[in-house]
Short mmCIF file of all heavy atoms in Angstrom, two decimals:
data_model
loop_
_atom_site.label_atom_id
_atom_site.label_comp_id
_atom_site.label_asym_id
_atom_site.label_seq_id
_atom_site.Cartn_x
_atom_site.Cartn_y
_atom_site.Cartn_z
N PRO A 262 -7.67 -14.00 12.56
CA PRO A 262 -7.55 -13.20 11.23
C PRO A 262 -8.96 -12.89 10.74
O PRO A 262 -9.98 -13.32 11.23
CB PRO A 262 -6.89 -14.18 10.34
CG PRO A 262 -7.43 -15.57 10.81
CD PRO A 262 -7.47 -15.43 12.28
N PRO A 263 -9.01 -11.95 9.75
CA PRO A 263 -10.33 -11.59 9.09
C PRO A 263 -11.01 -12.82 8.54
O PRO A 263 -10.36 -13.83 8.19
CB PRO A 263 -9.89 -10.53 8.05
CG PRO A 263 -8.61 -9.98 8.51
CD PRO A 263 -7.82 -11.10 9.22
N SER A 264 -12.33 -12.68 8.30
CA SER A 264 -13.05 -13.82 7.76
C SER A 264 -13.25 -13.67 6.19
O SER A 264 -13.83 -14.63 5.63
CB SER A 264 -14.41 -13.84 8.36
OG SER A 264 -15.15 -12.67 8.17
N ASP A 265 -12.73 -12.63 5.67
CA ASP A 265 -12.87 -12.45 4.18
C ASP A 265 -11.57 -11.86 3.72
O ASP A 265 -10.64 -11.55 4.46
CB ASP A 265 -13.97 -11.47 3.84
CG ASP A 265 -14.61 -11.79 2.36
OD1 ASP A 265 -13.78 -12.40 1.62
OD2 ASP A 265 -15.68 -11.47 2.05
N ALA A 266 -11.37 -11.61 2.43
CA ALA A 266 -10.11 -11.27 1.84
C ALA A 266 -9.50 -10.00 2.50
O ALA A 266 -10.21 -9.07 2.84
CB ALA A 266 -10.28 -10.99 0.35
N ILE A 267 -8.19 -10.06 2.59
CA ILE A 267 -7.48 -8.88 3.16
C ILE A 267 -7.26 -7.81 2.11
O ILE A 267 -6.79 -8.15 0.99
CB ILE A 267 -6.12 -9.33 3.72
CG1 ILE A 267 -6.35 -10.18 4.99
CG2 ILE A 267 -5.21 -8.17 4.11
CD1 ILE A 267 -5.16 -10.99 5.45
N SER A 268 -7.39 -6.53 2.39
CA SER A 268 -7.25 -5.44 1.49
C SER A 268 -5.91 -4.65 1.79
O SER A 268 -5.30 -4.16 0.89
CB SER A 268 -8.39 -4.52 1.39
OG SER A 268 -8.75 -4.02 2.70
N SER A 283 -7.26 -4.25 7.14
CA SER A 283 -8.64 -3.99 6.62
C SER A 283 -9.04 -5.26 5.72
O SER A 283 -8.16 -5.84 5.15
CB SER A 283 -8.66 -2.71 5.89
OG SER A 283 -7.76 -2.78 4.68
N SER A 284 -10.35 -5.38 5.70
CA SER A 284 -10.88 -6.59 4.94
C SER A 284 -12.14 -6.36 4.23
O SER A 284 -12.85 -5.45 4.54
CB SER A 284 -11.02 -7.72 6.06
OG SER A 284 -11.66 -8.87 5.50
N TRP A 285 -12.38 -7.33 3.36
CA TRP A 285 -13.64 -7.27 2.61
C TRP A 285 -14.84 -7.81 3.54
O TRP A 285 -15.96 -7.78 3.08
CB TRP A 285 -13.61 -8.15 1.35
CG TRP A 285 -12.87 -7.46 0.25
CD1 TRP A 285 -11.59 -7.29 0.14
CD2 TRP A 285 -13.49 -6.94 -0.86
NE1 TRP A 285 -11.36 -6.57 -1.01
CE2 TRP A 285 -12.41 -6.32 -1.65
CE3 TRP A 285 -14.79 -6.91 -1.42
CZ2 TRP A 285 -12.71 -5.70 -2.91
CZ3 TRP A 285 -15.04 -6.23 -2.62
CH2 TRP A 285 -13.97 -5.62 -3.38
N ASP A 286 -14.52 -8.22 4.77
CA ASP A 286 -15.57 -8.61 5.66
C ASP A 286 -16.19 -7.41 6.39
O ASP A 286 -16.93 -7.55 7.35
CB ASP A 286 -15.08 -9.65 6.68
CG ASP A 286 -14.04 -9.09 7.58
OD1 ASP A 286 -13.79 -7.95 7.62
OD2 ASP A 286 -13.55 -9.92 8.39
N LYS A 287 -15.90 -6.20 5.91
CA LYS A 287 -16.41 -4.94 6.43
C LYS A 287 -15.89 -4.48 7.75
O LYS A 287 -16.55 -3.76 8.54
CB LYS A 287 -18.04 -4.94 6.52
CG LYS A 287 -18.70 -5.40 5.22
CD LYS A 287 -20.20 -5.46 5.38
CE LYS A 287 -20.88 -5.99 4.12
NZ LYS A 287 -22.37 -6.01 4.29
N TYR A 290 -9.29 -4.41 11.68
CA TYR A 290 -8.77 -5.18 12.82
C TYR A 290 -7.55 -4.53 13.37
O TYR A 290 -6.63 -4.10 12.63
CB TYR A 290 -8.40 -6.57 12.41
CG TYR A 290 -9.53 -7.46 12.02
CD1 TYR A 290 -10.15 -7.28 10.76
CD2 TYR A 290 -10.01 -8.51 12.77
CE1 TYR A 290 -11.22 -8.10 10.31
CE2 TYR A 290 -11.10 -9.26 12.36
CZ TYR A 290 -11.69 -9.00 11.10
OH TYR A 290 -12.77 -9.83 10.71
N PRO A 311 -17.41 -3.39 2.53
CA PRO A 311 -15.97 -3.77 2.56
C PRO A 311 -15.01 -2.57 2.62
O PRO A 311 -15.20 -1.57 1.94
CB PRO A 311 -15.78 -4.55 1.18
CG PRO A 311 -17.11 -5.09 0.95
CD PRO A 311 -18.08 -4.01 1.47
N PRO A 548 0.44 -20.33 1.66
CA PRO A 548 -0.61 -21.25 1.17
C PRO A 548 -1.63 -20.65 0.21
O PRO A 548 -2.50 -21.24 -0.41
CB PRO A 548 -1.31 -21.63 2.47
CG PRO A 548 -0.97 -20.62 3.47
CD PRO A 548 0.35 -20.12 3.06
N ALA A 549 -1.58 -19.26 0.02
CA ALA A 549 -2.54 -18.59 -1.03
C ALA A 549 -1.83 -17.39 -1.46
O ALA A 549 -0.68 -17.03 -1.09
CB ALA A 549 -3.84 -18.34 -0.29
N SER A 550 -2.56 -16.61 -2.31
CA SER A 550 -2.10 -15.42 -2.87
C SER A 550 -1.65 -14.41 -1.79
O SER A 550 -2.34 -14.24 -0.70
CB SER A 550 -3.24 -14.83 -3.74
OG SER A 550 -2.81 -13.55 -4.24
N ALA A 552 -1.78 -10.81 -0.55
CA ALA A 552 -2.69 -9.61 -0.87
C ALA A 552 -2.07 -8.30 -0.47
O ALA A 552 -2.26 -7.29 -1.01
CB ALA A 552 -3.98 -9.81 -0.27
N GLY A 566 -0.13 -10.45 4.46
CA GLY A 566 -1.51 -10.83 4.38
C GLY A 566 -1.77 -11.75 3.15
O GLY A 566 -1.45 -11.48 2.05
N VAL A 567 -2.33 -12.92 3.58
CA VAL A 567 -2.51 -14.02 2.58
C VAL A 567 -3.97 -14.40 2.47
O VAL A 567 -4.65 -14.66 3.45
CB VAL A 567 -1.70 -15.20 3.03
CG1 VAL A 567 -1.97 -16.48 2.11
CG2 VAL A 567 -0.17 -14.93 3.01
N CYS A 568 -4.55 -14.52 1.25
CA CYS A 568 -5.86 -14.99 1.07
C CYS A 568 -6.10 -15.31 -0.40
O CYS A 568 -5.26 -14.90 -1.26
CB CYS A 568 -6.85 -13.84 1.35
SG CYS A 568 -6.70 -12.28 0.49
N PRO A 569 -6.96 -16.24 -0.65
CA PRO A 569 -7.07 -16.65 -2.15
C PRO A 569 -7.43 -15.50 -3.04
O PRO A 569 -8.19 -14.65 -2.75
CB PRO A 569 -8.36 -17.61 -2.09
CG PRO A 569 -8.36 -18.16 -0.67
CD PRO A 569 -7.81 -17.02 0.18
N GLY A 570 -6.62 -15.44 -4.14
CA GLY A 570 -6.79 -14.40 -5.13
C GLY A 570 -7.62 -14.87 -6.28
O GLY A 570 -7.80 -14.27 -7.31
N PHE A 571 -8.13 -16.20 -6.25
CA PHE A 571 -8.87 -16.92 -7.23
C PHE A 571 -8.20 -17.04 -8.51
O PHE A 571 -8.76 -17.16 -9.53
CB PHE A 571 -10.21 -16.10 -7.42
CG PHE A 571 -10.94 -15.79 -6.05
CD1 PHE A 571 -11.03 -14.49 -5.68
CD2 PHE A 571 -11.33 -16.85 -5.20
CE1 PHE A 571 -11.69 -14.27 -4.37
CE2 PHE A 571 -11.99 -16.54 -4.06
CZ PHE A 571 -12.15 -15.21 -3.57
N GLU A 572 -6.83 -17.07 -8.45
CA GLU A 572 -6.07 -17.36 -9.66
C GLU A 572 -6.34 -18.77 -10.25
O GLU A 572 -6.11 -19.05 -11.26
CB GLU A 572 -4.55 -17.11 -9.42
CG GLU A 572 -4.19 -15.69 -9.26
CD GLU A 572 -4.29 -15.22 -7.82
OE1 GLU A 572 -4.70 -15.99 -6.97
OE2 GLU A 572 -3.94 -14.01 -7.59
N ASP A 573 -6.71 -19.60 -9.21
CA ASP A 573 -6.97 -21.06 -9.61
C ASP A 573 -8.32 -21.30 -10.14
O ASP A 573 -8.69 -22.46 -10.33
CB ASP A 573 -6.58 -21.95 -8.42
CG ASP A 573 -7.44 -21.61 -7.19
OD1 ASP A 573 -8.33 -20.70 -7.32
OD2 ASP A 573 -7.19 -22.19 -6.11
N GLY A 574 -9.16 -20.31 -10.21
CA GLY A 574 -10.50 -20.49 -10.78
C GLY A 574 -11.55 -20.74 -9.71
O GLY A 574 -12.80 -20.68 -10.08
N ARG A 575 -11.15 -21.02 -8.49
CA ARG A 575 -12.24 -21.19 -7.42
C ARG A 575 -12.82 -19.87 -7.06
O ARG A 575 -12.29 -18.76 -7.19
CB ARG A 575 -11.59 -21.81 -6.18
CG ARG A 575 -11.11 -23.22 -6.35
CD ARG A 575 -10.59 -23.83 -5.08
NE ARG A 575 -9.55 -22.90 -4.54
CZ ARG A 575 -9.32 -22.75 -3.23
NH1 ARG A 575 -10.17 -23.35 -2.31
NH2 ARG A 575 -8.34 -22.00 -2.80
N GLU A 576 -14.11 -19.93 -6.63
CA GLU A 576 -14.84 -18.73 -6.28
C GLU A 576 -15.16 -18.61 -4.93
O GLU A 576 -15.87 -17.62 -4.44
CB GLU A 576 -16.11 -18.71 -7.13
CG GLU A 576 -15.85 -18.53 -8.69
CD GLU A 576 -17.13 -18.33 -9.49
OE1 GLU A 576 -18.24 -18.31 -8.90
OE2 GLU A 576 -16.99 -18.30 -10.69
N ASP A 577 -14.81 -19.57 -4.02
CA ASP A 577 -15.07 -19.44 -2.59
C ASP A 577 -13.82 -19.42 -1.81
O ASP A 577 -12.74 -19.97 -2.25
CB ASP A 577 -15.91 -20.62 -2.15
CG ASP A 577 -15.24 -21.95 -2.31
OD1 ASP A 577 -15.35 -22.43 -3.51
OD2 ASP A 577 -14.71 -22.50 -1.43
N LEU A 578 -13.77 -18.70 -0.73
CA LEU A 578 -12.51 -18.57 0.07
C LEU A 578 -12.12 -19.79 0.79
O LEU A 578 -11.00 -20.21 0.80
CB LEU A 578 -12.82 -17.45 1.18
CG LEU A 578 -12.58 -16.05 0.80
CD1 LEU A 578 -12.90 -15.08 1.91
CD2 LEU A 578 -11.08 -15.83 0.39
N GLY A 579 -13.06 -20.58 1.27
CA GLY A 579 -12.78 -21.72 2.08
C GLY A 579 -12.41 -21.39 3.48
O GLY A 579 -11.80 -20.32 3.71
N GLU A 580 -12.78 -22.23 4.46
CA GLU A 580 -12.54 -21.94 5.77
C GLU A 580 -11.04 -21.91 6.15
O GLU A 580 -10.28 -22.73 5.71
CB GLU A 580 -13.22 -22.96 6.65
CG GLU A 580 -13.28 -22.52 8.15
CD GLU A 580 -14.21 -23.47 8.96
OE1 GLU A 580 -15.11 -24.16 8.33
OE2 GLU A 580 -14.04 -23.47 10.20
N GLY A 581 -10.66 -20.90 6.90
CA GLY A 581 -9.23 -20.80 7.31
C GLY A 581 -8.24 -20.42 6.29
O GLY A 581 -7.11 -20.58 6.40
N ALA A 582 -8.80 -19.87 5.18
CA ALA A 582 -7.94 -19.48 3.99
C ALA A 582 -7.27 -18.16 4.18
O ALA A 582 -6.24 -17.83 3.50
CB ALA A 582 -8.79 -19.49 2.70
N VAL A 583 -7.84 -17.29 4.98
CA VAL A 583 -7.26 -15.92 5.22
C VAL A 583 -6.32 -15.99 6.43
O VAL A 583 -6.69 -16.40 7.53
CB VAL A 583 -8.39 -14.89 5.43
CG1 VAL A 583 -7.87 -13.55 5.67
CG2 VAL A 583 -9.36 -14.91 4.27
N LYS A 584 -5.09 -15.56 6.18
CA LYS A 584 -4.03 -15.52 7.32
C LYS A 584 -3.24 -14.28 7.24
O LYS A 584 -3.03 -13.69 6.15
CB LYS A 584 -3.19 -16.79 7.06
CG LYS A 584 -3.94 -18.16 7.19
CD LYS A 584 -3.00 -19.27 6.96
CE LYS A 584 -3.81 -20.60 6.93
NZ LYS A 584 -4.41 -20.96 8.18
#
Side-chain angles (χ1 to χ4, degrees):
S264 60
D265 205 340
I267 290 169
S268 55
S283 59
S284 171
W285 282 75
D286 67 7
K287 306 180 185 179
Y290 294 73
S550 176
V567 172
C568 56
F571 310 115
E572 289 88 358
D573 56 5
R575 291 185 304 147
E576 295 185 0
D577 60 283
L578 275 174
E580 193 170 339
V583 179
K584 300 178 186 295

